[in-house]
Amino acid sequence: MQKIPVEVFPSSQDAVAKLAAETAELIRSNEAAGKQTVLGLATGGTPIAYYKELIRLHKEDGLSFANVTSFNLDEYAGLPQDHVESYWYFMHQNLFNHIDIKPENINLPSGTVADADIPAHCAEYEQKIKDAGGIDLQILGIGRTGHIGFNEPGSPKDSLTRAIELDPITREDAAPAFGGLDNVPTAAITMGCGTILAARRIVLMAWGEGKAPIVNEAVTGPVNDIVSASYLQEHANSVFYIDQAAASKLEA
């Protein structure tokens, strides 16, 4: 039985078109009210088409990001910003370099903070989110372990931004991009489950048959710390936007 609202689309492009339109409406309505829009953003292959659609709306429909503040979910430990696999690099290549968001409004955890400074860095990240008024719309993907952000199995529901050791499956999935498992970082800094769940609206995207089993587990299974995406069952305004392939294992 589904415990989270799920919208199944004929294709991922149909899903991202709806999500981008929703994002544009949020930005424009907040701007008209004199308010900033705070977006929580994700990385990986899943949101790339969504970012392309936001860029199109900016270039063709005049959607401005001048009043948008962004907070990314996570960053690999040990990667400088200019590393091609850093999420700072990913976000600039796939979105920020192509829109009019102000550089000072872009927020990502740092991958190069000294170990002793990580707790303070994470606390500062949490405070920045609070100071911005909280996240209006949080975008998520889902990993094969069921993680949201890098909240690997065992992550508590009330966890906040912190350092985390990456699950072997997560590192294995990243290995091709890094040219081998030995090159994949073993740790990251991630928003916590509690940080994510504090967002006013959450949209999780998933595409393809490979995501179908974990989507079903997150949507229909018990709420537990093994599959952190299952916590979305208890959020008042969360939804899964998935294509037909990702919906193929959903239990009625």
Side-chain angles (χ1 to χ4, degrees), residues 9 11-24 45-54 56-57 139 203 205-207 241-243:
F9 296 82
S11 71
S12 59
Q13 194 54 47
D14 292 307
V16 301
K18 177 170 182 179
L19 180 54
E22 177 184 329
T23 307
T46 299
I48 287 176
Y50 166 65
Y51 295 148
K52 284 182 178 174
E53 182 63 10
L54 290 181
R56 187 193 69 78
L57 290 173
I139 306 301
V203 180
M205 298 182 285
W207 324 130
Y241 282 4
I242 60 178
D243 63 6

Side-chain angles (χ1 to χ4, degrees), residues 103-218:
E104 61 269 26
N105 289 346
I106 294 169
N107 298 280
L108 292 92
S110 171
T112 57
V113 177
D115 288 351
D117 297 331
I118 286 175
H121 176 67
C122 293
E124 182 184 356
Y125 203 69
E126 288 284 331
Q127 190 60 49
K128 279 187 177 180
I129 294 172
K130 290 191 178 97
D131 291 346
I135 293 171
D136 293 307
L137 173 62
Q138 176 66 61
I139 306 301
L140 298 175
I142 184 170
R144 274 203 299 152
T145 65
H147 65 236
I148 49 176
F150 272 136
N151 288 286
E152 300 284 24
S155 294
K157 184 182 176 187
D158 60 354
S159 54
L160 300 179
T161 301
R162 69 206 188 284
I164 194 159
E165 190 169 324
L166 297 178
D167 189 271
I169 292 175
T170 300
R171 295 185 67 240
E172 183 183 306
D173 287 347
F178 279 88
L181 187 61
D182 289 346
N183 300 321
V184 181
T186 58
I189 292 178
T190 184
M191 279 189 199
C193 297
T195 316
I196 292 167
L197 293 169
R200 285 179 273 282
R201 177 165 172 78
I202 302 173
V203 180
L204 186 150
M205 298 182 285
W207 324 130
E209 288 183 13
K211 294 292 178 72
I214 196 63
V215 163
N216 178 61
E217 200 170 337

Side-chain angles (χ1 to χ4, degrees), residues 18-64:
K18 177 170 182 179
L19 180 54
E22 177 184 329
T23 307
E25 183 180 351
L26 173 67
I27 292 170
R28 286 174 170 143
S29 63
N30 278 345
E31 187 172 23
K35 296 191 298 183
Q36 286 262 318
T37 297
V38 183
L39 299 179
L41 300 178
T43 53
T46 299
I48 287 176
Y50 166 65
Y51 295 148
K52 284 182 178 174
E53 182 63 10
L54 290 181
I55 293 165
R56 187 193 69 78
L57 290 173
H58 169 64
K59 292 187 173 177
E60 297 180 12
D61 290 1
L63 177 64
S64 175

Side-chain angles (χ1 to χ4, degrees), residues 58-110:
H58 169 64
K59 292 187 173 177
E60 297 180 12
D61 290 1
L63 177 64
S64 175
F65 293 80
N67 289 310
V68 170
T69 296
S70 70
F71 289 91
N72 261 77
L73 284 165
D74 41 31
E75 179 61 280
Y76 285 112
L79 297 192
Q81 290 181 347
D82 60 356
H83 190 289
V84 294
E85 292 303 325
S86 79
Y87 288 157
W88 190 95
Y89 186 91
F90 174 98
M91 290 304 306
H92 284 76
Q93 289 294 110
N94 288 288
L95 181 63
F96 298 148
N97 288 348
H98 310 286
I99 58 175
D100 62 339
I101 191 169
K102 296 172 182 173
E104 61 269 26
N105 289 346
I106 294 169
N107 298 280
L108 292 92
S110 171

Side-chain angles (χ1 to χ4, degrees), residues 144 212-222 224 226-227 230 233 250:
R144 274 203 299 152
I214 196 63
V215 163
N216 178 61
E217 200 170 337
V219 170
T220 69
N224 61 73
I226 304 303
V227 177
S230 68
Q233 294 179 21
L250 273 181

